[in-house]
Amino acid sequence: DRRAGALPEEAGDEDVIRKLLGDLTSAGVDIDEAGIRTALEEQLGTDVRDFDVLQGTSAGSEIITALQAFSVT
């Protein structure tokens, strides 16, 4: 049961970047592979900073505990 445009079941970074590049260029967005990589790296940096801020809060502690229960961290 494959949906149109779905990522492969075992997608790696390169698969995701190719999928994003195809979808964005099809939508008329002027971007290249390097632009996608830069945007993803910037977002990862933002997410890491947000996570660092959350670690000192009760909500952050609950999130960390839940993630550890699933062996995500």
Side-chain angles (χ1 to χ4, degrees), residues 29-73:
V29 176
D30 183 24
I31 193 164
D32 60 8
E33 188 175 315
I36 291 172
R37 288 180 187 281
T38 299
L40 291 172
E41 289 170 6
E42 289 172 357
Q43 186 59 50
L44 177 60
T46 299
D47 294 343
V48 168
R49 283 190 301 276
D50 290 348
F51 185 75
D52 286 344
V53 168
L54 273 176
Q55 284 182 321
T57 67
S58 60
S61 296
E62 291 174 19
I63 292 169
I64 292 168
T65 301
L67 290 173
Q68 287 172 336
F70 291 101
S71 299
V72 174
T73 57

